[in-house]
Amino acid sequence: MKELYNNEVSFELREKTIDESKQGSALSKDRKEGVKANGKKFYIESYGCAMNFSDSEIVASILSNEGFDSTTNHDEADLILINTCSIRDNAEQRVRARLKNFQGIKKRNPAALIGILGCMAERLKDKLLEEEKLVDIVAGPDAYRTLPDLISEADGGQKAVNVLLSREETYADISPVRLASNGVSAFISIMRGCDNMCSFCVVPFTRGRERSRDPKSIVKEAQDLYEKGFKEVTLLGQNVDSFRWSEDPKLKGKRLIEAKDSENVVNFANLLEMTAKAVPNMRIRFSTSHPKDMLDDVLHVMMRYDNICKYIHLPVQSGNSRVLDMMNRTYDREWYMNRIEAINRIIPDCGISTDVITGFCSESEEDFQDTLSLMKEVEYDMSYMFFYSERPGTLAAKRYKDDIPLEVKKKRLSRVIELQQSISLKKNKEDIGKTFEVLVEGVSKKSKTHLYGRNTQNKVIVFPDEGIRKGDFVNVKVTDCTSATLLGELL
Ligand code: SAH
Ligand code: SF4
Ligand code: F3S
């Protein structure tokens, strides 16, 4: 089942399929002064959302400071890591299949260690050691600082597990090693965890409580990236609009959430503004916004700064208020449509995309029709669409019956995909004749003589290579399109 649109975006912001890290072999330039190479190599493979890819860059930094070098060839690795995702059953199945493939490596090189990181590690804990006999290390998303200890334990023949979740860990002081980077665009994690408890979602269980990172460290990371030649950053969090930080020791934890916006509290709109000002020549994106928290202040900041991209990913999940209530999304259709209206009013020509789930518990044909009608009303530029997959331990798994037959879920999924394709095509056709500023990200996957990049609305544009370089900003006039891509010519 193709869950994602097949476009040219090199880094999807939603769940990705396999991406073997294309990092170069020498990390030495990223290594702290005084750290000597230990002669060992690690290989890391990442699954799931952008947060996970961003975490792999933190892991690479921790390992490089232990003296490890990285490799893209797992056959020569002393340490093989898989950073995993639990969001849907098929995401976990993919990892299990991959682990089976790794059995051969372990046979050829019994000294090699295999470690599972990320959300599946957190969800299954030491069960992974029992079920998958070849796993030596299990580390959850908040345990990466202890990887060096876990590796020593595993080297000593012990099974090494750390799946403790933290209320404080943000890895704020760790400078990520940019893996598989195009050198143009990078992620910055601004917060971790999620407190939202959407009933279908495993993330609050795998990533723990929501916590924001010190804004000073975020701005510094953006500035460092700019100095290294990057042209675009994406601020990442499961729910960026609930970003909240205070230096005031009296405003910790729950009190911080309740505190009124004041000089003592930095909220997401403030952070966005701070970042936009600190790196005025860099494009700034962010993901993901939650409809209940995305208020007008963020939209006004977006409008005020040219370097903040005019694009919002605003997952709706369903167009039916009863289903939204069962999903515990804490907004209804009317509230959601009010937010769309605010985006269109405050930021004309803003790109909007969404996530949709089909076949959630008890969803009737009429409920599903509401999702279709909402999609038509909003006219999303793009959608990420999934059929519901029950996740053990979630509120929905405990409270509701997963009662929509798989064929119906899948049929509805293909109907939303078909609808979105027709909407995307219509919206893309409206862009024909327009000129956009495009940040060039690289050579088109389909044609070596073409480059691709994105406009501020996050639409991918492909155009003939006329000696332009990756990382350049160019003006491109749209001449044609498909439902996934705009085609154009350089001006
Ligand atoms: N924090 C993000 C979501 C991260 S998960 C947000 O709130 O938007 C990305 C998407 O996966 C979700 O928006 C949802 O559409 C989908 N998803 C999550 N759990 C799912 C499940 N159990 N079955 C199917 N899709 C799911
Ligand atoms: Fe999951 Fe909801 Fe949190 Fe997103 S906001 S990560 S869907 S619980
Ligand atoms: Fe991301 Fe998957 Fe975990 S979507 S937060 S890696 S469950």
Side-chain angles (χ1 to χ4, degrees):
M1 176 77 53
K2 195 115 199 101
E3 288 185 328
L4 298 172
Y5 269 141
N6 183 15
N7 60 20
E8 306 239 353
V9 178
S10 57
F11 251 122
E12 292 290 352
L13 289 175
R14 315 317 278 166
E15 189 202 357
K16 280 193 39 145
T17 48
I18 290 185
D19 181 86
E20 306 203 2
S21 303
K22 298 181 199 78
Q23 72 269 31
S25 62
L27 285 180
S28 39
K29 62 182 178 358
D30 293 297
R31 200 169 278 151
K32 266 189 210 146
E33 261 176 60
V35 178
K36 283 210 183 74
N38 68 4
K40 290 187 175 174
K41 288 184 178 159
F42 75 91
Y43 166 89
I44 189 163
E45 200 169 277
S46 309
Y47 295 76
C49 63
M51 286 302 283
N52 244 21
F53 284 75
S54 170
D55 279 3
S56 290
E57 300 185 332
I58 288 167
V59 168
S61 173
I62 292 169
L63 293 176
S64 111
N65 288 324
E66 283 296 303
F68 279 87
D69 254 314
S70 74
T71 172
T72 51
N73 174 5
H74 46 56
D75 284 325
E76 61 169 37
D78 305 279
L79 174 64
I80 295 166
L81 298 171
I82 317 188
N83 197 354
T84 61
C85 173
S86 286
I87 200 82
R88 285 166 289 275
D89 184 56
N90 61 7
E92 290 201 355
Q93 293 315 327
R94 225 175 283 149
V95 168
R96 286 185 192 273
R98 194 67 182 135
L99 274 173
K100 295 229 160 62
N101 290 343
F102 285 156
Q103 240 151 8
I105 303 178
K106 197 83 171 172
K107 276 203 193 105
R108 289 192 294 277
N109 177 10
L113 296 178
I114 296 189
I116 301 227
L117 315 177
C119 292
M120 219 173 138
E122 192 60 51
R123 194 177 85 72
L124 295 167
K125 306 188 166 53
D126 41 9
K127 260 193 237 149
L128 273 172
L129 295 177
E130 292 151 27
E131 285 171 23
E132 307 287 343
K133 294 274 182 265
L134 75 166
V135 173
D136 306 287
I137 297 167
V138 178
D142 288 344
Y144 299 147
R145 279 183 209 268
T146 66
L147 270 172
D149 295 337
L150 294 171
I151 294 165
S152 315
E153 279 171 38
D155 268 334
Q158 285 167 272
K159 296 284 179 189
V161 184
N162 185 351
V163 287
L164 283 178
L165 286 172
S166 155
R167 277 176 175 251
E168 277 98 39
E169 181 63 271
T170 59
Y171 301 110
D173 57 314
I174 294 181
S175 174
V177 169
R178 304 294 165 181
L179 299 169
S181 168
N182 61 4
V184 175
S185 190
F187 293 126
I188 302 184
S189 286
I190 62 164
M191 55 209 291
R192 300 182 70 80
C194 184
D195 281 353
N196 276 330
M197 285 294 183
C198 301
S199 65
F200 51 79
C201 185
V202 77
V203 172
F205 303 93
T206 61
R207 297 226 154 220
R209 298 307 296 268
E210 188 172 286
R211 65 221 100 117
S212 300
R213 174 178 165 189
D214 186 340
K216 291 194 294 299
S217 73
I218 297 170
V219 168
K220 184 168 176 298
E221 194 171 325
Q223 285 165 327
D224 286 349
L225 284 164
Y226 180 68
E227 272 156 31
K228 286 186 182 134
F230 283 81
K231 300 291 167 66
E232 178 179 87
V233 290
T234 302
L235 308 180
L236 284 184
Q238 295 299 348
N239 178 9
V240 290
D241 299 286
S242 64
F243 180 92
R244 274 178 109 64
W245 170 266
S246 177
E247 295 285 354
D248 187 342
K250 291 200 288 299
L251 293 178
K252 275 260 141 74
K254 202 155 184 285
R255 299 260 329 266
L256 178 57
I257 296 160
E258 286 163 358
K260 296 250 157 24
D261 282 0
S262 69
E263 279 164 29
N264 283 332
V265 177
V266 178
N267 66 16
F268 182 61
N270 306 141
L271 174 74
L272 202 53
E273 182 154 28
M274 282 164 68
T275 318
K277 275 186 186 159
V279 284
N281 296 319
M282 256 185 146
R283 272 188 176 182
I284 296 164
R285 299 185 183 276
F286 54 88
S287 187
T288 303
S289 304
H290 193 294
K292 85 168 151 57
D293 299 313
M294 202 233 23
L295 305 179
D296 293 0
D297 58 349
V298 171
L299 302 175
H300 289 299
V301 171
M302 285 174 76
M303 225 18 222
R304 219 175 297 141
Y305 293 88
D306 278 346
N307 60 330
I308 304 179
C309 289
K310 307 300 179 266
Y311 166 65
I312 296 187
H313 182 65
L314 198 68
V316 66
Q317 316 298 358
S318 163
N320 177 271
S321 295
R322 186 189 66 83
V323 173
L324 285 170
D325 186 46
M326 280 178 68
M327 287 176 162
N328 200 25
R329 287 290 286 182
T330 66
Y331 56 83
D332 57 11
R333 182 184 174 117
E334 200 187 345
W335 172 275
Y336 186 89
M337 288 310 298
N338 167 285
R339 294 295 77 212
I340 294 290
E341 184 273 319
I343 297 172
N344 289 331
R345 174 168 38 86
I346 299 169
I347 313 175
D349 295 325
C350 189
I352 306 178
S353 61
T354 200
D355 291 349
V356 169
I357 298 179
T358 65
F360 185 65
C361 312
S362 86
E363 184 190 71
S364 67
E365 173 60 26
E366 291 73 54
D367 300 335
F368 173 66
Q369 291 284 345
D370 286 344
T371 299
L372 296 176
S373 75
L374 182 134
M375 290 171 73
K376 283 184 206 150
E377 226 177 301
V378 177
E379 296 200 316
Y380 294 108
D381 296 290
M382 208 220 318
S383 297
Y384 297 92
M385 297 156 281
F386 316 97
F387 66 81
Y388 174 57
S389 161
E390 186 180 77
R391 308 312 294 129
T394 55
L395 291 181
K398 285 185 197 149
R399 282 188 200 157
Y400 308 127
K401 205 158 158 241
D402 181 13
D403 55 358
I404 308 302
L406 187 60
E407 315 83 77
V408 178
K409 288 178 181 177
K410 286 189 175 172
K411 184 80 202 24
R412 287 181 189 163
L413 176 61
S414 49
R415 287 163 69 193
V416 288
I417 291 176
E418 204 179 305
L419 173 62
Q420 183 56 53
Q421 258 160 352
S422 69
I423 297 172
S424 297
L425 184 61
K426 173 176 175 251
K427 302 257 329 205
N428 283 351
K429 279 186 179 160
E430 286 168 9
D431 286 339
I432 294 178
K434 290 184 191 163
T435 298
F436 294 107
E437 185 183 60
V438 173
L439 171 57
V440 184
E441 290 181 29
V443 177
S444 163
K445 279 175 204 144
K446 289 189 194 127
S447 155
K448 286 209 163 56
T449 59
H450 285 70
L451 299 172
Y452 80 96
R454 280 178 292 165
N455 65 7
T456 186
Q457 288 89 353
N458 207 36
K459 283 195 185 178
V460 175
I461 306 189
V462 174
F463 54 95
D465 182 357
E466 291 174 24
I468 306 292
R469 276 172 322 179
K470 201 165 79 165
D472 283 350
F473 286 97
V474 291
N475 286 318
V476 179
K477 184 170 180 189
V478 179
T479 51
D480 201 357
C481 69
T482 67
S483 64
T485 315
L486 300 175
L487 309 167
E489 55 193 33
L490 275 172
L491 283 193

